[in-house]
Amino acid sequence: MIGWTLGRYFFLRYVKITAYFLLGSFALALILDFTELSGKLSSLPDYSAIQAFGLSAMRIPYIMQQVFPFIALFAAMATLISLNRKYELVVARSVGVSAWQFLLPACTGAFLFGLAAVLLVNPLAAWGFERSEQITANWRAGKANEVSADRVPWLRQKTEDGETIIGAKSIVNRGLRLIDATFIRLDKNQDILERLDAKSADLDDGFWRLSNVTKFVLAETPVSLDEVRVPTHLRPEFVEESLARPETIPFFELRNKIAAARSFGYPANAFDMHFQSLLALPALLMAMTLIAATVSLKFVRFGQSGTMILGGVLAGFVLYVVTVVVKAFGNAGFVPPFIAAWTPVLIATFFGVSFLLHKEDG
């Protein structure tokens, strides 16, 4: 009964402090993103401050996903330090409660936090980010000097008539729609046949459907056309893998997307890496909690040390950087995504467990 009561108390304390960090991070991210969006989009004719604020609100779940590991780290550190300052951990140990018993509620909270991030926040983030990209692309459409700051995607396709180089200022609908697209058609000798500038281009079955097109041919007057169809052998799975951000696809759809892409011979490394990273997220948050415990349990006995707190922050930061670097190798196909996603988590977990075993059991 005493163990259950203490466990529930520690768990609720962890949840409360985590909620404070989440609210603070949400407010800070919203302010920073709104400020950045206002600077980028304020010159567009359809811009309004209220709509820009709405765009930022839709993007916040996507941004918050990037800081969840740090929230878990800081929340665990703050929870343990606050319990130490009030001598609650000292009293718990004096009645025979081990470090593993009062770390279990925090690890459980971190695991549930990770599950909520994967099952609830991720679908919302994918929808919100994709929707905000569509609205932003519509605002930029037709603005020759307003190119997306993220990247300009390019594809090269081959057909019986020759090759076509495809570019666009922005991409929506997971890469299946291009905004302000440019199609440069080449013949079999690699000579330019024509250039097609379209307000939008949608990938249909066997062709690109270009709308509001301006056709340029050497030594001829440009011609305006309502619609042009450009033949293609590109499959939606390839275009989606090449152009779509993995973060715009909800967790529940990733496995089907990976299976569909691989059925057509595409590696789908980026999608698989994102899927494995989401699967590993609850374990990563638990590893962050263990790292926090290694620097937060002994302050009362040895005196609170800012150096130790800084060490915990640096250890969590190093783990996050290693995770991002290994993820890049997984996206490139140099390392299997499963190994790239889980190796940093396992190493951090073993480090935390080993350190705590040494401290607890000598």
Side-chain angles (χ1 to χ4, degrees), residues 66-193:
Q66 317 304 316
V67 300
F68 280 163
F70 291 103
I71 292 177
L73 174 69
F74 295 144
M77 290 180 64
T79 301
L80 295 174
I81 291 174
S82 67
L83 291 174
N84 254 326
R85 283 179 174 176
K86 297 180 180 179
Y87 296 95
E88 290 169 304
L89 292 186
V90 176
V91 173
R93 287 196 166 195
S94 68
V95 296
V97 178
S98 69
W100 303 107
Q101 288 177 286
F102 54 73
L103 278 179
L104 180 61
C107 290
T108 302
F111 183 79
L112 295 177
F113 179 23
L115 285 182
V118 174
L119 301 179
L120 300 178
V121 178
N122 175 260
L124 180 62
W127 176 85
F129 186 81
E130 175 67 16
R131 181 60 181 161
S132 67
E133 289 291 293
Q134 291 178 3
I135 296 174
T136 304
N138 291 333
W139 285 2
R140 287 195 174 109
K143 303 299 177 182
N145 60 340
E146 292 289 344
V147 179
S148 174
D150 297 328
R151 59 175 177 168
V152 178
W154 291 96
L155 286 175
R156 181 184 288 264
Q157 68 174 29
K158 293 184 179 181
T159 62
E160 293 79 3
D161 300 328
E163 297 185 9
T164 303
I165 300 174
I166 305 170
K169 289 183 181 178
S170 54
I171 55 177
V172 295
N173 193 22
R174 301 178 185 174
L176 302 183
R177 187 173 198 190
L178 310 179
I179 302 297
D180 287 338
T182 298
F183 284 65
I184 302 175
R185 304 185 68 179
L186 310 174
D187 61 18
K188 296 180 180 180
N189 297 322
Q190 298 296 304
D191 295 325
I192 296 178
L193 291 175

